Amino acid sequence: QVQLVESGGGSVQAGGSLRLSCAASGSIFSINAMAWYRQAPGKQREFVSVIRKTAGTNYADSVKGRFTISRDTTWNTVYLEMNRVKPEDTAVYYCNARKVNTYGGIELDYWGQGTQVTVSS
């Protein structure tokens, strides 16, 4: 099992910055990717960014160039640096940790409880 705890959410004005953290504990050795997703009111949860042990990072088009995902060397903590935020970035942000096999199948999948980010115009 892997436990995930997000922090760093809050309120920020448009154009500002915020850094989210996701602290992982438990069987961290079992995962090979960590990601951020978000869910705005009345919308489905959507992918934001992912960082993989062997295949780098990816971003949703809506955040590319503004957000940066990173991790510490032990994979205990993953960060999401959010710059030039927009009101449409307002959502609950969730941390995800998973094990993806060589065929792209998800073998393990863990979620945090989420942290609220509110961007005012």
Side-chain angles (χ1 to χ4, degrees):
Q1 290 286 323
V2 174
Q3 295 77 42
L4 304 171
V5 179
E6 302 97 334
S7 61
S11 298
V12 61
Q13 287 193 326
S17 299
L18 208 60
R19 188 171 87 154
L20 306 182
S21 300
C22 174
S25 60
S27 302
I28 303 170
F29 62 87
S30 64
I31 63 171
N32 55 16
M34 293 187 72
W36 288 95
Y37 286 72
R38 66 186 182 186
Q39 187 167 18
K43 295 187 177 181
Q44 289 189 331
R45 189 173 298 188
E46 64 175 8
F47 166 79
V48 176
S49 182
V50 64
I51 185 166
R52 304 178 185 89
K53 284 188 176 180
T54 58
T57 60
N58 283 100
Y59 298 89
D61 288 342
S62 58
V63 306
K64 202 172 292 183
R66 299 188 297 121
F67 291 9
T68 302
I69 192 170
S70 62
R71 60 169 181 85
D72 67 1
T73 55
T74 61
W75 281 86
N76 284 337
T77 307
V78 172
Y79 306 96
L80 185 69
E81 187 75 35
M82 306 168 62
N83 296 315
R84 292 181 282 127
V85 295
K86 305 175 182 180
E88 50 263 45
D89 293 323
T90 295
V92 177
Y93 283 71
Y94 295 92
C95 180
N96 170 262
R98 61 183 51 173
K99 178 181 180 180
V100 182
N101 61 31
T102 54
Y103 304 101
I106 298 173
E107 296 183 357
L108 299 171
D109 200 24
Y110 304 99
W111 292 89
Q113 81 289 349
T115 185
Q116 176 70 47
V117 172
T118 303
V119 182
S120 57
S121 57

